[in-house]
């Protein structure tokens, strides 16, 4: 039951089996799913047990996983957000690509290779793996953080860089071989690429939303899913036909649909295909590692991996520090980007086709890139642990792992300490995590077990039992961290009820818009109790004091409702002041 390419049900079962065995095992070991997929692919591929002997065909199909992944990223990158990243894309991204490309080219020239081979080999390695980096960012919950957004910006520039690099390869090939009178000129190719980009932007701006509205009227869910796949894959193929990468076409389609009314529907429809195909991509990359080449040229391959990763790491770190990143952020970006990527295979294939690379050089460089991709999760894990051990001593403190409390507290400062007492009085099983080791040790002195964990990381939330908790209580001090945790929990753990401590009124409005079940400003109720005591001591009886406090509470509730619609100024008329303004009408009738 196999087709002409050698793939059928048996091969599909082999791939699925490799994935479901290797990925959970590697995640359990803390090495991440990417390395699990690569190891699984290597095991069943032609250089492992030989259960599948044609990884190239699978690789071309599985590249659709990267395409769909870039489309999902594009859906999250609204045009205004993309515009805000323009300096990071064309500043930080370009600086990193040019610097690392120059350094790696010099290293290759010092090894005695020609300028075209050195440049193509170096620039292919400079193009980091979008699939690996985005998967790692997603697993760690860092995609929407400022550092995660910088990583996305750099990856976008690298995706754009494939276009002039392919043109450079074609130009070198033309100089070394007789001219083909039918081949388009470089300038003609650039004009076609720009025109194709303009066509896609125009179609996305004025045609996509009406198209999906028309499809939605048919009422067939599967047709809408098919239409989503058609738009993504059609955009990818069209952009490839005019000289860009398929991933760039899919990303632009996502950006154009990010403001669409069908955005969330599209994301839900594409997600299952994206996950399966991206896993296949990593499996096929693992199968493509030619162990014979590695064995025959092991000194050259291993030396190339170590040297290229080390030199690229130096370039990335220097650029990050010059861009005013602190040491921790620069080191993390270095560990994340120090590998080669899937676009290297495209560039090396083009170089082989025009005669710049011979078969041996292409195989060696491909092996160097694949090994660097496999090493990335390990390098990142080591860097993360070194950073944690250097900055935080966890002596005597347990990290969050395998927690299964009915209620999960994230943050255990003064607010959470008070909030936990009522639940503990009812013997509700709690999981408590905090990233301040001094706070954890102080709580232990009072008989409270708190685990170390950063609630802004998706992997930590899962290890803390967020996927099984009935309620998640976000009690952290920083509003930005609370927003990030709320976003992660709403997305990854929709069945858990989400209660969040708000810092101020603006933060409270953001949380309401994010759809949390309950939020409360940290000082609101205590301030009301405080003023109730003052009113009582000024001579008001209990009923009068309660009536006034209830009016303040109700007035604040009405303000929130107005401000959710019209912004902070919308509820201004309900604020009492001591200036020369009219007294707002009480919301409660006096008896």
């Amino acid at each position: 039951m196999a087709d002409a390419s050698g793939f059928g049900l048996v091969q599909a079962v082999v791939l699925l089996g490799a994935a479901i065995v290797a990925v959970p095992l590697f995640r359990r070991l803390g090495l991440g799913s990417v390395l699990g997929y690569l190891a699984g692919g290597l095991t069943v591929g032609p250089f492992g047990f030989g259960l599948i002997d044609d990884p190239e065909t699978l690789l071309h199909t599985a590249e659709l996983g990267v395409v769909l992944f870039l489309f999902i990223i594009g859906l999250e990158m609204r045009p205004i957000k993309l515009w805000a990243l323009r300096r990071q894309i064309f500043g930080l991204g370009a600086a990193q690509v040019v610097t690392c490309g120059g350094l790696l080219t010099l290293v290759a020239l010092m090894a005695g290779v020609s300028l075209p081979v050195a440049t193509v080999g170096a620039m292919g390695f400079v193009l980091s793996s979008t699939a690996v980096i985005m998967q790692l960012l997603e697993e760690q919950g860092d995609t929407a953080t400022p550092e995660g957004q910088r990583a996305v910006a750099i990856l976008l520039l690298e995706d754009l860089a494939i276009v002039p690099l392919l043109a450079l390869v074609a130009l070198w090939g033309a100089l070394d071989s007789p001219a083909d009178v039918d081949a388009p000129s470089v300038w003609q190719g650039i004009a076609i690429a720009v025109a194709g980009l303009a066509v896609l932007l125009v179609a996305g701006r004025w045609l996509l939303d009406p198209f999906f509205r028309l499809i939605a009227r048919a009422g067939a869910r599967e047709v809408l899913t098919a239409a989503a796949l058609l738009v993504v894959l059609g955009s990818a193929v069209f952009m490839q036909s005019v000289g860009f990468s398929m991933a760039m076409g899919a990303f632009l389609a996502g950006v154009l649909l990010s403001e669409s009314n069908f955005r969330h529907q599209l994301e839900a429809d594409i997600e299952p295909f994206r996950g399966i195909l991206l896993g296949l991509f990593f499996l096929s990359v693992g199968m493509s590692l030619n162990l014979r080449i590695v064995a025959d040229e092991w000194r050259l391959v291993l030396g190339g991996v170590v040297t290229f990763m080390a030199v690229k790491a130096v370039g990335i770190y220097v650029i990050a520090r010059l861009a005013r990143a602190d040491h921790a952020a620069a080191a993390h970006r270095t560990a994340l980007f120090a590998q080669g990527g899937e676009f290297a295979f495209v560039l090396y294939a083009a170089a082989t086709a025009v005669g710049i690379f011979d078969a041996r050089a292409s195989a060696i460089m491909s092996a160097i890139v694949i090994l660097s991709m496999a090493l990335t999760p390990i390098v990142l894990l080591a860097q993360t642990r070194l950073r944690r051990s250097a900055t935080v001593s966890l002596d005597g403190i347990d990290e969050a792992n395998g927690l299964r409390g009915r209620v999960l507290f994230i943050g255990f400062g003064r607010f959470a300490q008070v909030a936990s007492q009522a639940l503990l009085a009812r013997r509700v099983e709690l999981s408590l995590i905090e990233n301040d080791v001094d706070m954890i040790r102080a709580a232990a002195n009072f008989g409270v077990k708190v685990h170390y964990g950063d609630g802004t990381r998706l992997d930590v939330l899962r290890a803390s039992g967020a996927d099984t908790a009935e309620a998640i209580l976000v009690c952290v001090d920083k509003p930005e961290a609370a927003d990030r945790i709320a976003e992660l929990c709403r997305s990854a753990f929709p069945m858990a009820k989400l209660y969040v401590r708000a810092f101020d009124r603006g933060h409270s409005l953001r949380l309401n818009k994010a759809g949390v079940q309950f939020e409360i400003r940290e000082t609101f109720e205590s301030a009301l109790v405080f003023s109730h005591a003052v009113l009582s001591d000024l001579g008001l009886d209990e009923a009068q004091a309660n009536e006034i406090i209830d009016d303040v509470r109700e007035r604040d509730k009405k303000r929130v409702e107005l401000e959710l619609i019209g912004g902070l100024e919308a509820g201004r008329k309900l604020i009492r002041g001591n200036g020369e303004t009219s007294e707002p009408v009480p919301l409660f009738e006096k008896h």
Side-chain angles (χ1 to χ4, degrees):
M1 297 182 66
D3 59 23
S5 63
F7 284 92
L9 274 180
V10 175
Q11 288 76 18
V13 170
V14 169
L15 289 172
L16 291 172
I20 64 174
V21 170
V23 174
L25 175 62
F26 275 72
R27 288 186 67 110
R28 185 76 175 175
L29 294 173
L31 299 174
S33 60
V34 172
L35 194 56
Y37 281 120
L38 292 172
L42 180 61
T43 302
V44 301
F47 304 102
F49 290 113
L51 300 177
I52 295 176
D53 57 6
D54 187 12
E56 294 301 322
T57 300
L58 179 63
L59 181 60
H60 290 311
T61 303
E63 283 175 354
L64 295 177
V66 181
V67 169
L68 296 179
F69 202 2
L70 266 293
F71 176 73
I72 296 293
I73 296 170
L75 283 177
E76 300 297 330
M77 299 289 289
R78 291 181 171 87
I80 188 171
K81 188 175 182 181
L82 196 59
W83 178 251
L85 288 173
R86 66 191 184 281
R87 292 181 181 174
Q88 294 179 14
I89 295 173
F90 295 104
L92 180 61
Q96 179 170 307
V97 167
V98 172
T99 301
C100 294
L103 291 174
L104 291 175
T105 300
L106 288 175
V107 168
L109 288 172
M110 291 171 61
V113 301
S114 65
L115 178 61
V117 173
T119 303
V120 173
M123 296 309 297
F125 197 87
V126 163
L127 303 179
S128 306
S129 175
T130 299
V132 171
I133 292 173
M134 292 308 303
Q135 182 79 2
L136 291 172
L137 288 174
E138 186 178 48
E139 287 180 0
Q140 296 169 351
D142 289 340
T143 307
T145 63
E147 186 59 32
Q149 293 296 290
R150 292 186 189 96
V152 172
I154 294 170
L155 289 171
L156 288 177
L157 191 280
E158 290 181 352
D159 285 352
L160 286 171
I162 191 66
V163 179
L165 288 175
L166 287 172
L168 180 63
V169 167
L171 180 61
W172 259 326
L175 293 175
D176 291 338
S177 62
D180 184 353
V181 295
D182 296 324
S185 67
V186 173
W187 293 110
Q188 185 179 348
I190 294 174
I192 291 173
V194 172
L197 179 60
V199 168
L200 183 63
L201 293 176
V202 170
R205 177 66 178 84
W206 284 286
L207 298 180
L208 284 184
D209 217 40
F211 170 70
F212 280 106
R213 197 176 297 115
L214 181 64
I215 296 296
R217 286 175 188 162
R221 173 70 179 270
E222 66 276 7
V223 176
L224 190 61
T225 301
L229 289 172
L230 174 65
V231 168
V232 178
L233 301 182
S235 301
V237 171
F238 175 73
M239 291 302 284
Q240 185 184 46
S241 69
V242 298
F244 285 93
S245 67
M246 292 179 67
M248 179 58 62
F251 174 79
L252 289 175
V255 172
L256 293 171
L257 284 168
S258 63
E259 302 284 358
S260 169
N261 296 326
F262 300 94
R263 171 178 166 246
H264 296 293
Q265 180 69 50
L266 290 169
E267 189 170 359
D269 288 340
I270 294 295
E271 183 65 27
F273 299 98
R274 189 274 297 181
I276 293 172
L277 288 171
L278 194 60
L280 283 177
F281 173 79
F282 290 125
L283 284 169
S284 60
V285 169
M287 284 187 279
S288 300
L289 180 59
N290 192 326
L291 293 182
R292 292 194 188 97
I293 289 290
V294 174
D296 293 342
E297 306 282 356
W298 67 271
R299 291 183 180 85
L300 188 57
V301 171
L302 294 183
V305 171
V306 173
T307 303
F308 268 36
M309 289 188 73
V311 172
K312 186 178 179 183
V314 170
I316 294 169
Y317 184 84
V318 169
I319 292 300
R321 295 291 282 171
L322 290 176
R324 300 181 180 178
D326 59 26
H327 170 73
H332 184 262
R333 192 184 307 166
T334 299
L336 203 59
F337 278 87
Q339 88 293 124
E342 53 274 2
F343 287 134
F345 307 136
V346 178
L347 195 63
Y348 296 162
T352 303
V354 299
I356 296 177
F357 276 10
D358 57 22
R360 175 178 172 274
S362 179
I364 291 173
M365 283 306 305
S366 296
I368 289 173
V369 170
I370 292 171
L371 286 174
S372 72
M373 292 171 68
L375 286 173
T376 298
I378 300 174
V379 171
L380 191 62
L381 182 65
Q383 186 269 331
T384 301
R385 289 185 174 176
L386 285 173
R387 179 178 61 179
R388 183 179 297 171
S389 62
T391 57
V392 179
S393 173
L394 298 181
D395 185 32
I397 295 175
D398 294 331
E399 294 189 62
N401 188 21
L403 306 183
R404 287 295 181 268
R406 187 178 177 186
V407 174
L408 170 62
F409 272 81
I410 303 173
F412 201 68
R414 51 190 172 82
F415 185 93
Q417 291 165 19
V418 175
S420 67
Q421 290 300 295
L423 297 171
L424 290 170
R426 291 294 299 175
R427 298 187 181 277
V428 176
E429 186 179 0
L430 306 181
S431 297
L432 311 172
I433 66 170
E434 170 64 64
N435 61 4
D436 185 336
V437 294
D438 294 331
M439 189 71 71
I440 294 174
R441 292 194 173 101
N445 293 332
F446 293 92
V448 181
K449 178 64 176 179
V450 183
H451 290 79
Y452 180 85
D454 181 358
T456 63
R457 296 172 61 93
L458 187 58
D459 56 337
V460 172
L461 290 175
R462 288 200 171 100
S464 303
D467 49 353
T468 58
E470 294 180 31
I472 299 175
L473 281 58
V474 183
C475 305
V476 296
D477 292 328
K478 297 180 180 179
E480 298 81 8
D483 290 341
R484 174 64 181 153
I485 296 169
E487 178 187 352
L488 285 175
C489 291
R490 288 288 296 164
S491 173
F493 317 111
M495 300 305 294
K497 294 182 179 178
L498 193 57
Y499 302 80
V500 187
R501 163 198 183 181
F503 177 73
D504 56 17
R505 193 166 203 87
H507 189 207
S508 177
L509 294 176
R510 293 202 304 274
L511 293 172
N512 271 282
K513 292 177 180 178
V516 304
Q517 272 76 20
F518 180 83
E519 56 75 28
I520 187 169
R521 277 161 280 150
E522 56 187 4
T523 58
F524 182 68
E525 286 296 332
S526 58
L528 291 182
V529 172
F530 187 86
S531 57
H532 183 283
V534 175
L535 290 173
S536 297
D537 287 344
L538 290 177
L540 276 71
D541 60 33
E542 186 72 12
Q544 289 175 316
N546 286 341
E547 181 182 10
I548 293 172
I549 295 299
D550 287 344
D551 178 68
V552 173
R553 185 180 281 108
E554 185 66 21
R555 189 178 295 275
D556 184 82
K557 180 181 177 181
K558 295 292 184 183
R559 279 184 62 196
V560 170
E561 292 173 357
L562 292 172
E563 290 164 350
L564 283 172
I565 300 172
L568 283 173
E569 293 295 319
R572 186 173 182 176
K573 64 180 181 180
L574 293 174
I575 302 176
R576 286 189 171 94
N578 63 350
E580 295 181 1
T581 57
S582 58
E583 172 72 10
V585 178
L587 292 173
F588 287 98
E589 295 291 337
K590 294 183 179 180
H591 300 290

